[in-house]
Amino acid sequence: MTRLKPLTEAELDDDQRAFLDRLNQGPRGAGRRLGLIGPYGVWARAPHIGEPAQLLGAALRFGTSLPENIKEVAICTVGAFHRAKFEFAAHRTLGIRAGVSEAAIDRLRAGEAPQFDGDEAIAHALTDELLRRHRPTPATYDRAIAAFDERGVVELVTLIGYYCLISHTLNAFEVDLVDGMEDPFPDEN
């Protein structure tokens, strides 16, 4: 992180350590230590905010009715819109693993119109319209309800908002990429 002094696990106070331990014990950790990367390194500094934020994120990533590819299309669309390096780099890989077209994700990164099909196109349209117009058109909203039902649209809209929070956190504190991540927007600081 270029704006925050690096924080090591040895420096954590009791509340910060408890936050990190709960994070690692949740679905993101899955038996491994995440460490103080991405937004978690920021939120560890204010665990009373980080804890509810990461719990919402875990519910959205691991507890919705939405298929993985739909979530990843929305997350990558948000990451590209906000030019959030860490988010986009992490979720590009997860999106491809979920079956999203690598070419479509790379078009998002380049600021070009992606070529999504079916429900992925609907998820992208809803996300893009919320980001650019602040509300979906009636046609996009109706298509989203038909594809995902009311519960799914509530989940998708909440996911979009959550990843806007993540993007703002990463960008405000200029969170660095970790080893193995390719900088998706190398010309931006």
Side-chain angles (χ1 to χ4, degrees), residues 33-61:
R33 292 213 46 94
L34 287 173
L36 297 166
I37 64 169
Y40 315 119
V42 175
W43 289 342
R45 296 158 199 282
H48 66 290
I49 298 297
E51 181 67 16
Q54 77 87 11
L55 287 171
L56 175 60
L60 291 165
R61 285 276 317 284

Side-chain angles (χ1 to χ4, degrees), residues 22-181:
R22 284 189 296 273
L23 180 70
N24 286 320
Q25 292 165 5
R28 285 186 191 88
R32 61 188 169 89
R33 292 213 46 94
L34 287 173
L36 297 166
I37 64 169
Y40 315 119
V42 175
W43 289 342
R45 296 158 199 282
H48 66 290
I49 298 297
E51 181 67 16
Q54 77 87 11
L55 287 171
L56 175 60
L60 291 165
R61 285 276 317 284
F62 305 105
T64 70
S65 64
L66 299 168
E68 290 303 308
N69 65 318
I70 298 304
K71 291 185 279 191
E72 293 303 332
V73 164
I75 294 167
C76 287
T77 301
V78 170
F81 178 83
H82 288 291
R83 313 300 277 181
K85 293 179 180 218
F86 187 98
E87 179 182 333
F88 192 89
H91 285 278
R92 178 184 184 276
T93 300
L94 294 172
I96 293 167
R97 190 178 307 150
V100 180
S101 160
E102 184 174 356
I105 293 173
D106 288 343
R107 289 180 65 86
L108 274 175
R109 175 177 55 191
E112 301 168 0
Q115 302 299 314
F116 292 117
D117 295 316
D119 288 351
E120 289 181 1
I122 296 167
H124 171 70
L126 181 71
T127 306
D128 188 65
E129 290 176 15
L130 279 172
L131 293 169
R132 294 180 195 286
R133 299 181 66 249
H134 312 293
R135 60 190 38 82
T137 63
T140 296
Y141 179 82
D142 290 345
R143 288 180 24 222
I145 290 292
F148 309 120
D149 70 40
E150 286 181 344
R151 174 185 173 159
V153 174
V154 169
E155 293 169 343
L156 184 56
V157 168
T158 306
L159 179 97
I160 294 162
Y162 176 77
Y163 278 92
C164 287
L165 167 64
I166 295 287
S167 294
H168 292 173
T169 300
L170 295 169
N171 288 347
F173 296 102
E174 295 181 349
V175 174
D176 289 332
L177 300 173
V178 295
D179 291 339
M181 283 185 166

